[in-house]
Amino acid sequence: MQLAYVLNIDGLPLMPTHKLGKVRHLIKDGRAKIIKRNPFTIQLNYECENYTQDVTLGVDAGSKHIGLSISTKKEELYCSDVELRDDIVELISTRREAKRTRRNRLRYRPRRFDNRIAAKKEGWLAPSVRHKIDSHLKVIEDIHKVLPINKIVVEVAAFDTQLLKAEGKTISGSEYQQGEMLGFNTREYVLFRDNHKCQHCHGKSKDKVLEVHHLESRKTGGNAPNNLITLCKTCHEKYHKGEIELKQKRGTKYNDATFMGIMRWRLYDELKAIYPNVKLTYGYITKSNRIKYGLAKEHYNDAYCIAGNFNAKPLDTVIYQKKVRCHNRQIHKVNLLKGGKRKANQAPYIVKGFRLFDKVKYQDIEAFIFGRRSSGYFDIRKLDGTKIGASINYKKLELLEARSNYLKEERNRQFLPMVEAMGFLA
């Protein structure tokens, strides 16, 4: 079931159409022009009646994926799964390390961190959280440009991280103020938790000097207790020399739950400030409806349930989107090469007429440029990581679409087998 999205002569969205033959005639006769390739959108060059219906947008907010579903009472008009970036923390940590190194290497300059804290305004959010909220607002703004949406329903999820850490134990009242680190700082707690004993040799080295080791890099793993273990100085030095390996792995991360706890109400408030009709729903309602109607656990299926039009015929394809970095502002690689040389971190911006993340066609396969060489050979892949070719000459490529911040490709929708057997799609 294919749709063409339609804009009027002033650029305002109308209801989409299934009459693709008529769309082709309009374009051929010069009465319409193509605005977007994915989703396929045209703009009319003549006056027409601006007839619209009640259209509802369901938003499954998340820290890694956003589910979007737009429907009327009879049919679904748009379905999408948006994958967000997850590298903001690492990039900011790399920048912080580079600034600290440059400050100490070139000349001494007092830190300005305290000044930055004083300058933070009320309502300030960490860049990683701010990015996720801005991404939600951006994809909702973009879809408003092609469909006449008059109602938005957003699912907000609340996660009790203290209860998750308790691993099934009941917590209530003042117990929330008595966490695992009550009365300790982080280092003292890790040493106490590990009984002041090296967790690798368990005291066999006879080294009495104990140190706290990060299982994951401090840059991305942080100083959470489940990322720290106790090692004696001997084992710690051997590990960093590559002489021993540690069996311990980092404990469960609660980053996503923390993100959602911070951003859920902020997202809802900012949407209300922009759009007139915004409603809330909750995860347990979405789950109940998804099970009731036999839908697979996917973000776009959750969004379909959030929209609340359960008699709407669902689309059989999904627009999968992947958020990518706009620019690589790091001019040189962080790690120096042999001889102290600092190599440039990227190839030329445009190589033989192609840029990074351009959508291209190679042997009737649509894919994206994920790597480039100045000689004109490209690494071509699908968004799911499927490799089409690691070194394809530019002469064999056809440019379909210039890169954007959101890469898009169509995928088949996932349904449960029993739904297909029951004729849900009929």
Side-chain angles (χ1 to χ4, degrees):
M1 182 170 57
Q2 294 182 341
L3 285 170
Y5 300 92
V6 183
L7 308 180
N8 67 11
I9 193 171
D10 297 320
L12 299 177
L14 303 175
M15 298 302 294
T17 179
H18 294 283
K19 300 177 180 179
L20 302 184
K22 184 177 180 180
V23 170
R24 283 194 291 269
H25 282 296
L26 289 173
I27 296 172
K28 185 177 180 180
D29 297 340
R31 302 179 68 194
K33 59 181 179 181
I34 300 174
I35 300 298
K36 288 184 180 180
R37 190 173 184 275
N38 194 359
F40 184 74
T41 308
I42 64 169
Q43 183 176 2
L44 303 178
N45 293 333
Y46 60 91
E47 297 286 348
C48 65
E49 294 184 3
N50 297 330
Y51 173 72
T52 60
Q53 303 174 23
D54 289 334
V55 180
T56 303
L57 165 62
V59 181
D60 179 30
S63 65
K64 292 183 178 179
H65 287 261
I66 308 172
L68 299 173
S69 177
I70 303 174
S71 58
T72 62
K73 292 182 178 180
K74 293 184 178 181
E75 65 175 332
E76 187 177 36
L77 305 177
Y78 181 86
C79 181
S80 181
D81 181 353
V82 185
E83 181 182 348
L84 302 178
R85 287 176 59 188
D86 205 24
D87 59 347
I88 305 297
V89 173
E90 182 175 359
L91 290 173
I92 290 178
S93 299
T94 301
R95 184 183 66 181
R96 182 177 62 245
E97 289 180 356
K99 284 186 174 182
R100 183 182 298 148
T101 302
R102 184 167 62 248
R103 185 175 67 241
N104 293 330
R105 184 180 67 246
L106 300 179
R107 68 186 188 280
Y108 177 74
R109 176 177 60 76
R111 293 181 303 165
R112 295 184 295 177
F113 187 67
D114 294 338
N115 295 337
R116 291 193 183 107
I117 287 182
K120 288 178 182 176
K121 299 179 181 179
E122 184 179 355
W124 176 89
L125 292 173
S128 54
V129 182
R130 183 70 260 173
H131 161 74
K132 293 183 186 296
I133 293 177
D134 288 343
S135 297
H136 281 73
L137 297 175
K138 176 61 177 174
V139 295
I140 293 173
E141 177 190 354
D142 287 347
I143 201 57
H144 270 81
K145 295 177 181 178
V146 296
L147 280 169
I149 300 167
N150 48 33
K151 181 181 178 182
I152 301 176
V153 184
V154 184
E155 178 193 294
V156 294
F159 295 92
D160 191 336
T161 53
Q162 191 81 343
L163 192 60
L164 291 173
K165 292 178 181 179
E167 298 179 351
K169 297 179 182 178
T170 304
I171 297 178
S172 62
S174 61
E175 292 177 348
Y176 279 98
Q177 302 174 2
Q178 301 171 1
E180 57 184 3
M181 290 179 57
L182 182 66
F184 295 98
N185 61 34
T186 304
R187 184 177 186 280
E188 290 173 347
Y189 170 73
V190 173
L191 294 173
F192 170 78
R193 182 197 64 193
D194 296 339
N195 295 317
H196 290 83
K197 185 178 292 186
C198 176
Q199 297 302 293
H200 179 73
C201 69
H202 301 285
K204 293 180 182 179
S205 68
K206 304 291 181 68
D207 192 340
K208 295 182 179 180
V209 179
L210 298 178
E211 298 175 346
V212 175
H213 169 69
H214 290 79
L215 294 170
E216 283 187 3
S217 166
R218 187 188 318 183
K219 183 169 71 173
T220 56
N223 294 321
N226 60 4
N227 189 38
L228 302 171
I229 59 167
T230 303
L231 294 178
C232 64
K233 186 175 182 180
T234 301
C235 291
H236 202 184
E237 291 178 351
K238 286 183 177 180
Y239 172 78
H240 286 291
K241 290 179 181 178
E243 297 176 4
I244 61 174
E245 292 185 2
L246 300 178
K247 297 180 180 179
Q248 293 84 352
K249 302 296 181 183
R250 186 197 168 132
T252 305
K253 290 185 178 182
Y254 299 98
N255 295 9
D256 295 331
T258 305
F259 273 129
M260 292 305 299
I262 297 172
M263 66 178 277
R264 60 193 184 106
W265 291 113
R266 186 64 172 268
L267 173 63
Y268 174 63
D269 291 339
E270 293 194 17
L271 281 174
K272 282 178 62 178
I274 301 172
Y275 304 104
N277 192 2
V278 182
K279 305 293 183 184
L280 275 181
T281 187
Y282 297 92
Y284 71 93
I285 300 175
T286 304
K287 180 180 179 181
S288 174
N289 287 326
R290 190 183 69 247
I291 295 172
K292 178 180 178 180
Y293 291 95
L295 298 173
K297 179 66 182 83
E298 298 287 348
H299 299 283
Y300 47 81
N301 285 335
D302 283 345
Y304 174 86
C305 296
I306 291 167
N309 294 318
F310 300 108
N311 292 324
K313 183 179 180 181
L315 294 170
D316 52 7
T317 58
V318 179
I319 297 177
Y320 184 84
Q321 303 183 56
K322 182 180 179 69
K323 179 73 171 73
V324 294
R325 190 175 182 178
C326 301
H327 294 285
N328 182 5
R329 294 181 176 86
Q330 187 173 301
I331 300 175
H332 297 93
K333 290 184 179 294
V334 175
N335 298 324
L336 301 181
L337 301 177
K338 290 183 179 179
K341 297 180 180 178
R342 303 187 71 194
K343 185 179 178 182
N345 198 37
Q346 55 190 4
Y349 191 66
I350 297 179
V351 178
K352 307 296 183 181
F354 295 95
R355 295 165 54 191
L356 192 66
F357 300 129
D358 278 350
K359 191 172 188 178
V360 296
K361 181 184 283 188
Y362 171 70
Q363 296 181 349
D364 294 329
I365 300 174
E366 295 185 4
F368 296 88
I369 295 175
F370 273 80
R372 64 202 190 280
R373 301 182 185 90
S374 55
S375 58
Y377 287 85
F378 298 89
D379 181 9
I380 310 299
R381 304 181 192 178
K382 292 277 194 178
L383 290 187
D384 60 1
T386 303
K387 292 186 177 181
I388 307 301
S391 183
I392 299 176
N393 190 281
Y394 73 97
K395 296 179 181 179
K396 299 179 180 179
L397 301 178
E398 177 187 350
L399 180 64
L400 296 178
E401 202 172 349
R403 65 152 290 163
S404 64
N405 297 340
Y406 291 88
L407 311 183
K408 301 176 183 178
E409 69 179 13
E410 284 195 1
R411 296 183 180 179
N412 293 326
R413 190 179 193 137
Q414 298 296 319
F415 290 97
L416 294 179
M418 68 173 184
V419 175
E420 297 177 353
M422 292 167 60
F424 186 75
L425 296 177

